[in-house]
Amino acid sequence: MQEFKIKKINTLVVGLLGTFLILFVGLKILYPKNEFDSEKRNKAVTTIDFSAEKKGYLTVDPEFGYSFYSATVEILPENIFSKKESVEVEKGFLVQLYPLGDEIENSDVLRKYIFSDNLDIPNGKLVSTKNAVYVYSRGKWNPFLGPQFFEDLGFDWDRVETFDDDMESSFEEGEKIIAGTPHPDGIILKTRDNSFFLVWDEKLLPIKNEEVIKDVWNDYFAISMDNQKPKIIGGCRQDNSVGFFKCSFAEEYTKGDISGNTFIFSFGEGVKNLTRASIVLNTFNTSSWKNPKITLAFQKARIFEKYGEEIFK
């Protein structure tokens, strides 16, 4: 009798383990872990140093729009941040890192920025040709080298006009816009609390109010962003291995869309001495018991976004 009970318990344990293994493998197949590795994908980790403010950042722009839940940062030389205990992680636009400049108080001052080349074409105007979409900035037309770069910077497809033959005399191609390219000079930014800023010479110039903008460019276009500063989504701590930082992102970050596609790591002024840096972003934290729920919800949202219109036709 005792032997029968032992066999029954063993069968139950084996059955549970088998079921768990099948479910685990099934979830791994259906919802594999994805990651963005800056080195494997040949994406540069950008170093930004504001010496006057003693601030320095590492930034990276993934080329696919997953919601990431953790990250690993590797740096050289390894001992440069040996005493660094914590690092904030933010998400947003590169221009949100720019220091504030002088406020633009009236339309006469703003007009000199918006129409900086003395033509009738405002900085920030979007046009398309058979070859590319361009944004106008300081006398040059800057081409987007792909639709994702256009969307990552928060531009609106509805604002793109067909290139007019009258503009040919002003056409001079400027810097190509790719991953990691900040907004060109002359672009207007708008926060959720209706504050306005102008991007100019790596500074954000506050604009007194919307009326000042409309006096210069009535049908103006502004990039929408959450706040003047990027949103803090998590933090990093130095791993046991020198030169490695392990980062985790807050759960609330996974529940909402944050404007901007740049991940920003606030390492401080020491970034100017880095010789190499790589960043790996993971779609979810494998140590969390919430993974199945988070991953399923994420995949459900992506499927609904992709096939929702066909489903409800």
Side-chain angles (χ1 to χ4, degrees):
M1 185 70 178
Q2 186 70 21
E3 185 178 344
F4 174 75
K5 287 183 178 180
I6 293 174
K7 286 184 177 180
K8 191 173 181 179
I9 292 172
N10 288 340
T11 302
L12 180 61
V13 170
V14 171
L16 289 173
L17 287 174
T19 302
F20 176 79
L21 182 62
I22 292 171
L23 288 173
F24 179 79
V25 173
L27 284 173
K28 285 290 185 181
I29 294 173
L30 290 173
Y31 307 107
K33 176 183 175 183
N34 289 293
E35 66 178 18
F36 166 84
D37 186 327
S38 64
E39 290 195 330
K40 290 181 180 178
R41 295 180 180 272
N42 296 317
K43 294 290 182 179
V45 175
T46 305
T47 301
I48 299 178
D49 175 43
F50 296 117
S51 299
E53 298 188 341
K54 296 184 178 180
K55 294 181 179 179
Y57 306 91
L58 294 180
T59 70
V60 68
D61 294 76
E63 74 272 21
F64 50 85
Y66 287 113
S67 292
F68 297 100
Y69 301 93
S70 64
T72 303
V73 182
E74 181 183 4
I75 59 175
L76 285 176
E78 297 173 345
N79 61 351
I80 192 170
F81 296 115
S82 58
K83 296 180 181 179
K84 195 79 174 176
E85 293 184 358
S86 62
V87 174
E88 285 185 342
V89 185
E90 301 166 285
K91 183 172 182 280
F93 297 119
L94 283 182
V95 293
Q96 289 174 283
L97 300 177
Y98 290 170
L100 286 177
D102 296 332
E103 183 180 63
I104 299 174
E105 296 183 348
N106 57 65
S107 56
D108 290 336
V109 175
L110 181 61
R111 186 172 287 105
K112 294 178 182 178
Y113 289 109
I114 297 297
F115 296 98
S116 58
D117 58 350
N118 296 319
L119 295 177
D120 292 331
I121 305 172
N123 288 319
K125 185 178 182 65
L126 298 166
V127 299
S128 65
T129 68
K130 60 182 179 180
N131 297 318
V133 173
Y134 296 83
V135 59
Y136 191 69
S137 174
R138 303 186 78 160
K140 296 182 180 180
W141 295 94
N142 301 281
F144 297 90
L145 290 196
Q148 181 179 348
F149 307 132
F150 181 95
E151 294 170 359
D152 286 348
L153 290 178
F155 286 99
D156 185 353
W157 291 108
D158 291 336
R159 296 294 303 228
V160 179
E161 303 176 14
T162 303
F163 191 82
D164 196 315
D165 292 339
D166 294 338
M167 300 178 189
E168 285 187 10
S169 60
S170 69
F171 191 85
E172 181 181 352
E173 190 165 301
E175 179 185 1
K176 295 177 174 60
I177 297 177
I178 58 175
T181 304
H183 293 82
D185 283 353
I187 300 299
I188 299 173
L189 306 173
K190 176 184 178 182
T191 62
R192 288 185 176 177
D193 63 356
N194 284 327
S195 296
F196 295 87
F197 302 87
L198 184 79
V199 180
W200 200 263
D201 283 340
E202 296 190 353
K203 286 186 178 181
L204 285 182
L205 308 183
I207 302 173
K208 186 175 183 179
N209 54 47
E210 187 177 22
E211 293 306 313
V212 171
I213 303 174
K214 288 186 174 181
D215 283 345
V216 176
W217 185 10
N218 184 57
D219 188 28
Y220 76 93
F221 170 69
I223 300 292
S224 296
M225 58 185 187
D226 299 306
N227 302 290
Q228 178 202 327
K229 294 294 185 182
K231 183 176 179 62
I232 297 174
I233 63 172
C236 309
R237 289 195 173 275
Q238 194 156 13
D239 196 12
N240 294 330
S241 304
V242 179
F244 280 87
F245 287 81
K246 295 290 187 182
C247 314
S248 59
F249 303 158
E251 184 180 349
E252 55 263 30
Y253 158 65
T254 68
K255 296 179 179 178
D257 185 32
I258 301 172
S259 59
N261 196 47
T262 301
F263 287 81
I264 303 161
F265 299 78
S266 305
F267 274 89
E269 57 182 333
V271 298
K272 59 189 174 185
N273 298 318
L274 284 177
T275 58
R276 173 180 164 272
S278 65
I279 295 174
V280 177
L281 300 169
N282 301 304
T283 54
F284 57 85
N285 184 343
T286 54
S287 64
S288 171
W289 285 103
K290 297 178 181 178
N291 280 344
K293 182 178 178 181
I294 292 174
T295 308
L296 287 167
F298 174 66
Q299 293 294 339
K300 177 183 175 183
R302 288 181 64 84
I303 292 171
F304 183 82
E305 180 182 355
K306 188 173 182 179
Y307 301 109
E309 293 183 5
E310 285 76 7
I311 293 174
F312 291 105
K313 277 183 179 179

